[in-house]
Amino acid sequence: MKLQRETVVAAALKLLDEVGMDGLTTRRLAQDLGVQQPSLYWHFKNKRELLDALAEAMLAEHRPVDRAACADWRAWMAAQSREFRRCLLAHRDGARVHVGTRPQPHDFGEVEAELAYLTAAGFTASDAIRALISLSYYTVGWVLEEQAATEAGRGPGQAPMSPDPQRYPLLAQAQPVMSQSDVEADYEYGLQALIAGFEVLIGTHAAGDCAATDR
């Protein structure tokens, strides 16, 4: 029976969750599938192509945010970013897999619709794509740090330092943030700061939230 591409991707995602990106090799994947390693090259010429397919499969788990259900573009951007982060966190090393990927031709229709939505709200096409890229890079970078901390055994609440409050009073006050005791709030702070910056750049002032639950 011919090995199907979808079967390979599903097995690779499962292996990724088990061993992480460093342990994900085509040799190990072929063993799990019960095939010879060259069989995988019918579908993926190298590991980079496999990682691109894994990133695409992760995004296929994305729950699209209905633009019509959001009060405005700010709420939509926030909801989209939170959902993107959820998808990356759903798999071990999800952010590392996604790094370096780019939209493919079959994604262009959705990207065009997003740009149309944002240009109708006051963005230029160039600023709209810059905003989307900025949100994507921010979220990927954030999740890279989150997942790296998890791999290193440094979860929320495990402070990386304990400053002397007499010598470093301000740093001591900021210690709850340094210890990542509320990662959700920390992520949200940066997300809202980015969106507020976009608002200033295009000179609009309305605000709102999505009608549907987006967290």
Side-chain angles (χ1 to χ4, degrees):
M1 181 181 295
K2 183 179 179 180
L3 190 63
Q4 298 298 315
R5 179 185 174 92
E6 294 77 11
T7 302
V8 177
V9 173
L13 271 179
K14 182 175 182 292
L15 182 59
L16 175 72
D17 288 336
E18 292 173 359
V19 302
M21 188 168 168
D22 292 334
L24 176 62
T25 64
T26 54
R27 176 178 295 181
R28 174 68 186 274
L29 180 58
Q31 290 176 348
D32 285 3
L33 287 166
V35 298
Q36 296 297 312
Q37 190 173 352
S39 300
L40 301 179
Y41 298 141
W42 285 100
H43 303 289
F44 307 103
K45 295 178 182 178
N46 49 52
K47 188 174 180 178
R48 180 66 259 175
E49 285 193 5
L50 175 60
L51 293 177
D52 288 345
L54 292 185
E56 186 176 341
M58 290 178 189
L59 292 184
E61 300 171 1
H62 185 282
R63 296 191 293 260
V65 178
D66 184 1
R67 290 182 283 272
C70 294
D72 62 17
W73 62 267
R74 303 158 194 78
W76 174 75
M77 278 187 176
Q80 279 281 92
S81 298
R82 295 176 194 130
E83 175 61 12
F84 179 39
R85 174 170 170 253
R86 184 197 66 79
C87 288
L88 296 179
L89 286 171
H91 294 281
R92 185 174 175 181
D93 287 334
R96 287 182 64 192
V97 171
H98 189 81
V99 165
T101 61
R102 295 293 183 269
Q104 299 301 308
H106 59 263
D107 300 316
F108 291 173
E110 178 58 24
V111 175
E112 181 73 12
E114 292 175 353
L115 293 179
Y117 173 70
L118 292 175
T119 54
F123 286 80
T124 65
S126 295
D127 283 346
I129 200 68
R130 287 190 184 106
L132 295 178
I133 290 171
S134 296
L135 290 168
S136 176
Y137 284 11
Y138 167 67
T139 299
V140 171
W142 186 275
V143 177
L144 275 172
E145 290 288 346
E146 280 190 271
Q147 294 184 320
T150 299
E151 288 291 319
R154 296 193 304 270
Q158 298 182 34
M161 62 181 73
S162 299
D164 180 351
Q166 299 301 317
R167 188 175 182 182
Y168 308 107
L170 298 179
L171 187 56
Q173 290 177 39
Q175 182 57 23
V177 175
M178 295 296 293
S179 66
Q180 296 185 322
S181 57
D182 192 344
V183 179
E184 301 299 323
D186 296 341
Y187 172 77
E188 194 69 21
Y189 181 91
L191 176 60
Q192 295 302 328
L194 275 173
I195 294 172
F198 301 149
E199 182 175 355
V200 171
L201 287 174
I202 68 167
T204 58
H205 304 287
D209 204 352
C210 290
T213 301
D214 53 43
R215 293 182 186 241

